[in-house]
Amino acid sequence: VRGVEPGQVVIVPPLCMPDIAATKPAPMGRAAALLTKAAASPEGAAWLDPASKECIVPSLVAPRLSHPERASEVAAVGFARSDAPAIATPTGPRVQISGLDSVALALADRVLEALARDYEASGAPPTAAPLRILLCEHGSPSKDVHAVREAVAPRLAAALATRGVNVASVRGCAMERKPGDAYAFSEPMLARALPDAVADASASAEAGAGEGVRVVLALMFLLPGKHAGVGGDVAKIAASALDLAVASPAGRSDDAHRAALRTRGVLVADVLGEHPAVLDVLWNRLRWGAAHFDDA
């Protein structure tokens, strides 16, 4: 069974892996601890058959401390009921795609969808002025996550350019970060990057580049929630950064924030969600993990 024993769980890498040629073993951090704790619980004992082999595909955009951080390896965590978990490194096929281009294509589609919705709602033709794209991610103490953001940004610019979008810049930013100089690599923060982008766009408009949508927030989040969902942190931080007072109707606060941001020429694109390019990468990861089982 090419390195995976019964009662073990294979955890494959997430969507984006910037370093698919790395050869270092995949460190297993919090994922191993959490899965071990879950397997030791009554619910986990029922979920994980000691004779079974499971494959977990992380629903995350980038590698974090809780998941394998090298795409050349995959980790298997064994759950012996009376022993410490065995961590193995199965051999087998490597990830064939980094996921970076796929995520960039999905983000480009989300930007275009936001522009199309704005055109449909306002009736105003899309501006010919160059757009400033802010690629916003959650923020992480892991430099690997930051590396993914910085690798996706130029790919997003290229994907939009091939679709005929006039892009002035694509700049990465984070919703939040840990305090301290050690985590300054996550800069700039959304709260600072958005006012800067709006100010740059305003200066361009004064120079005769036109009015309309000037800045688009591209959200490098997989799913809506307390951060990127209705009335989430991203919308609130963005509105606050531009000193916008938002009246939030119950249950529709995200719409209110987005409407307020639109008055300043800012659009917020949707999260990645179930975009076909994202699903293709997840399917690739699943096939890769399943290839470690003889009976896959």
Coordinates of all heavy atoms in Angstrom, one line a residue, residues 238-282:
A238 N -13.4 47.7 5.1 CA -13.3 48.5 3.9 C -14.1 49.8 4.1 O -13.6 50.9 3.8 CB -13.8 47.8 2.7
A239 N -15.3 49.7 4.6 CA -16.1 50.9 4.8 C -15.5 51.8 5.8 O -15.5 53.0 5.6 CB -17.5 50.5 5.2
S240 N -15.0 51.3 6.9 CA -14.4 52.1 7.9 C -13.2 52.8 7.4 O -12.9 53.9 7.8 CB -14.1 51.2 9.2 OG -13.4 51.9 10.1
A241 N -12.4 52.1 6.6 CA -11.2 52.7 6.1 C -11.4 53.9 5.2 O -10.6 54.8 5.1 CB -10.4 51.7 5.3
L242 N -12.6 54.0 4.6 CA -13.0 55.1 3.8 C -13.9 56.1 4.5 O -14.6 57.0 3.9 CB -13.7 54.6 2.5 CG -12.8 53.8 1.6 CD1 -13.6 53.4 0.4 CD2 -11.5 54.5 1.2
D243 N -14.1 55.9 5.9 CA -14.9 56.7 6.7 C -16.3 56.8 6.2 O -17.0 57.9 6.2 CB -14.3 58.2 6.8 CG -13.0 58.2 7.4 OD1 -12.7 57.5 8.4 OD2 -12.1 59.0 6.9
L244 N -16.9 55.6 5.8 CA -18.2 55.6 5.4 C -19.2 55.1 6.5 O -18.9 54.1 7.2 CB -18.4 54.5 4.2 CG -17.6 54.9 2.9 CD1 -17.6 53.7 2.0 CD2 -18.3 56.1 2.3
A245 N -20.2 55.9 6.7 CA -21.2 55.5 7.7 C -22.2 54.6 7.0 O -22.8 55.0 6.0 CB -21.9 56.8 8.3
V246 N -22.4 53.4 7.5 CA -23.3 52.5 6.9 C -24.4 52.1 7.8 O -24.2 51.7 8.9 CB -22.5 51.2 6.5 CG1 -23.4 50.2 5.9 CG2 -21.3 51.5 5.6
A247 N -25.6 52.3 7.2 CA -26.8 51.8 7.9 C -27.1 50.4 7.5 O -27.2 50.1 6.3 CB -28.0 52.7 7.5
S248 N -27.1 49.5 8.4 CA -27.1 48.1 8.1 C -28.5 47.5 8.4 O -28.8 47.1 9.5 CB -26.0 47.3 8.9 OG -24.8 47.9 8.6
P249 N -29.3 47.3 7.4 CA -30.6 46.6 7.6 C -30.3 45.2 8.1 O -29.3 44.5 7.7 CB -31.2 46.6 6.2 CG -30.5 47.6 5.4 CD -29.1 47.7 6.0
A250 N -31.2 44.7 8.9 CA -31.0 43.4 9.5 C -30.9 42.3 8.4 O -31.7 42.2 7.5 CB -32.2 43.0 10.4
G251 N -29.8 41.5 8.5 CA -29.6 40.4 7.6 C -29.0 40.8 6.3 O -28.6 40.0 5.5
R252 N -28.9 42.1 6.0 CA -28.4 42.5 4.6 C -27.3 43.5 4.8 O -27.1 44.4 3.9 CB -29.5 43.1 3.8 CG -30.7 42.2 3.6 CD -30.3 40.9 3.0 NE -29.7 41.1 1.7 CZ -29.0 40.1 1.1 NH1 -28.9 38.9 1.6 NH2 -28.4 40.3 -0.1
S253 N -26.5 43.5 5.8 CA -25.5 44.5 6.1 C -24.4 44.5 5.0 O -23.8 45.5 4.7 CB -24.9 44.3 7.5 OG -24.4 43.0 7.6
D254 N -24.1 43.3 4.4 CA -23.1 43.2 3.4 C -23.5 44.1 2.2 O -22.7 44.8 1.6 CB -22.8 41.8 3.0 CG -21.5 41.7 2.2 OD1 -20.5 42.2 2.7 OD2 -21.5 41.0 1.2
D255 N -24.8 44.0 1.8 CA -25.3 44.8 0.7 C -25.2 46.3 1.0 O -24.8 47.1 0.1 CB -26.8 44.5 0.4 CG -27.0 43.1 -0.2 OD1 -26.0 42.5 -0.7 OD2 -28.1 42.6 -0.2
A256 N -25.4 46.6 2.2 CA -25.3 48.1 2.6 C -23.9 48.5 2.6 O -23.6 49.6 2.1 CB -25.9 48.2 4.0
H257 N -23.0 47.7 3.0 CA -21.6 48.1 3.0 C -21.1 48.2 1.5 O -20.4 49.1 1.1 CB -20.7 47.1 3.7 CG -20.8 47.2 5.2 ND1 -21.7 46.6 6.0 CD2 -20.0 48.0 6.0 CE1 -21.5 46.9 7.2 NE2 -20.5 47.7 7.3
R258 N -21.5 47.2 0.7 CA -21.1 47.3 -0.7 C -21.7 48.5 -1.4 O -21.0 49.1 -2.3 CB -21.5 46.0 -1.4 CG -20.7 44.8 -0.9 CD -20.9 43.5 -1.7 NE -20.2 42.4 -1.1 CZ -19.8 41.3 -1.8 NH1 -20.0 41.2 -3.1 NH2 -19.2 40.3 -1.2
A259 N -22.9 48.8 -1.1 CA -23.5 50.0 -1.7 C -22.8 51.2 -1.3 O -22.6 52.1 -2.2 CB -25.0 50.1 -1.4
A260 N -22.4 51.3 -0.1 CA -21.7 52.5 0.4 C -20.3 52.6 -0.3 O -19.9 53.7 -0.7 CB -21.5 52.4 1.9
L261 N -19.6 51.5 -0.4 CA -18.3 51.4 -1.1 C -18.4 51.8 -2.5 O -17.6 52.5 -3.1 CB -17.7 50.0 -0.9 CG -17.2 49.6 0.5 CD1 -16.9 48.1 0.5 CD2 -16.0 50.4 0.9
R262 N -19.6 51.5 -3.2 CA -19.7 51.8 -4.6 C -19.8 53.3 -4.8 O -19.4 53.8 -5.8 CB -21.0 51.1 -5.1 CG -21.3 51.4 -6.6 CD -20.2 51.0 -7.5 NE -20.4 51.3 -8.9 CZ -20.2 52.5 -9.5 NH1 -19.7 53.5 -8.7 NH2 -20.4 52.7 -10.7
T263 N -20.3 54.0 -3.8 CA -20.3 55.5 -3.9 C -18.9 56.1 -4.0 O -18.7 57.2 -4.4 CB -21.1 56.1 -2.7 OG1 -20.3 55.9 -1.5 CG2 -22.4 55.6 -2.6
R264 N -17.9 55.3 -3.6 CA -16.5 55.8 -3.7 C -15.8 55.1 -4.8 O -14.6 55.1 -4.9 CB -15.8 55.5 -2.4 CG -16.4 56.3 -1.2 CD -16.2 57.8 -1.3 NE -14.7 58.1 -1.2 CZ -14.0 58.2 -0.1 NH1 -14.6 58.0 1.1 NH2 -12.7 58.4 -0.2
G265 N -16.5 54.4 -5.7 CA -15.9 53.8 -6.9 C -15.3 52.5 -6.6 O -14.4 52.0 -7.3
V266 N -15.7 51.8 -5.5 CA -15.1 50.5 -5.1 C -16.2 49.4 -5.2 O -17.3 49.5 -4.7 CB -14.7 50.6 -3.6 CG1 -14.1 49.2 -3.2 CG2 -13.6 51.7 -3.4
L267 N -15.8 48.3 -5.9 CA -16.6 47.1 -6.0 C -15.9 46.0 -5.2 O -14.7 45.9 -5.1 CB -16.7 46.7 -7.4 CG -17.6 47.5 -8.4 CD1 -17.6 46.8 -9.7 CD2 -19.0 47.7 -7.8
V268 N -16.8 45.2 -4.6 CA -16.3 44.0 -3.9 C -16.7 42.7 -4.7 O -17.9 42.5 -4.9 CB -16.9 43.9 -2.5 CG1 -16.3 42.7 -1.7 CG2 -16.5 45.2 -1.7
A269 N -15.8 42.0 -5.1 CA -16.1 40.8 -5.9 C -16.5 39.6 -4.9 O -16.2 39.7 -3.7 CB -14.9 40.3 -6.7
D270 N -17.1 38.6 -5.5 CA -17.5 37.5 -4.6 C -16.3 36.6 -4.3 O -15.2 36.6 -4.9 CB -18.5 36.6 -5.4 CG -19.9 37.3 -5.4 OD1 -20.1 38.2 -4.6 OD2 -20.7 37.0 -6.3
V271 N -16.5 35.7 -3.3 CA -15.4 34.7 -2.9 C -15.3 33.7 -4.0 O -16.1 33.6 -4.9 CB -15.7 34.1 -1.6 CG1 -15.8 35.1 -0.5 CG2 -17.1 33.4 -1.7
L272 N -14.2 32.9 -3.9 CA -14.0 31.9 -5.0 C -15.1 30.9 -5.1 O -15.6 30.5 -6.2 CB -12.7 31.1 -4.6 CG -11.4 32.0 -4.8 CD1 -10.2 31.2 -4.1 CD2 -11.1 32.2 -6.2
G273 N -15.6 30.4 -3.9 CA -16.8 29.5 -3.9 C -16.6 28.3 -4.7 O -15.5 27.6 -4.7
E274 N -17.6 27.9 -5.5 CA -17.6 26.7 -6.3 C -17.3 27.0 -7.8 O -17.8 26.4 -8.7 CB -19.0 26.1 -6.3 CG -19.4 25.6 -4.9 CD -20.8 25.0 -4.8 OE1 -21.5 24.9 -5.9 OE2 -21.2 24.6 -3.7
H275 N -16.3 27.9 -8.0 CA -15.9 28.2 -9.3 C -15.3 26.9 -9.9 O -14.6 26.1 -9.2 CB -14.8 29.3 -9.3 CG -14.5 29.8 -10.7 ND1 -13.6 29.1 -11.5 CD2 -14.9 30.9 -11.3 CE1 -13.5 29.7 -12.7 NE2 -14.2 30.8 -12.6
P276 N -15.6 26.6 -11.2 CA -15.1 25.3 -11.8 C -13.6 25.2 -11.7 O -13.1 24.0 -11.5 CB -15.5 25.5 -13.3 CG -16.7 26.3 -13.2 CD -16.5 27.3 -12.1
A277 N -12.8 26.3 -11.8 CA -11.4 26.1 -11.7 C -10.9 25.7 -10.3 O -10.0 24.9 -10.2 CB -10.7 27.5 -12.0
V278 N -11.6 26.1 -9.3 CA -11.3 25.7 -7.9 C -11.7 24.2 -7.8 O -10.9 23.4 -7.2 CB -12.1 26.5 -6.9 CG1 -12.0 25.9 -5.5 CG2 -11.6 27.9 -6.9
L279 N -12.8 23.8 -8.3 CA -13.2 22.4 -8.2 C -12.3 21.5 -8.9 O -12.0 20.4 -8.5 CB -14.7 22.2 -8.7 CG -15.8 23.0 -8.0 CD1 -17.1 22.7 -8.6 CD2 -15.8 22.6 -6.5
D280 N -11.7 22.0 -10.1 CA -10.8 21.2 -10.8 C -9.5 20.9 -10.0 O -9.0 19.8 -10.0 CB -10.4 21.9 -12.1 CG -11.5 21.8 -13.2 OD1 -12.4 21.0 -13.0 OD2 -11.4 22.6 -14.1
V281 N -9.1 21.9 -9.3 CA -7.9 21.7 -8.4 C -8.2 20.7 -7.3 O -7.4 19.8 -7.0 CB -7.3 23.0 -7.9 CG1 -6.1 22.8 -7.0 CG2 -7.0 24.0 -9.0
L282 N -9.3 20.9 -6.6 CA -9.7 20.0 -5.6 C -9.8 18.5 -6.1 O -9.4 17.6 -5.4 CB -11.0 20.4 -4.9 CG -11.0 21.7 -4.1 CD1 -12.4 22.1 -3.7 CD2 -10.1 21.6 -2.9

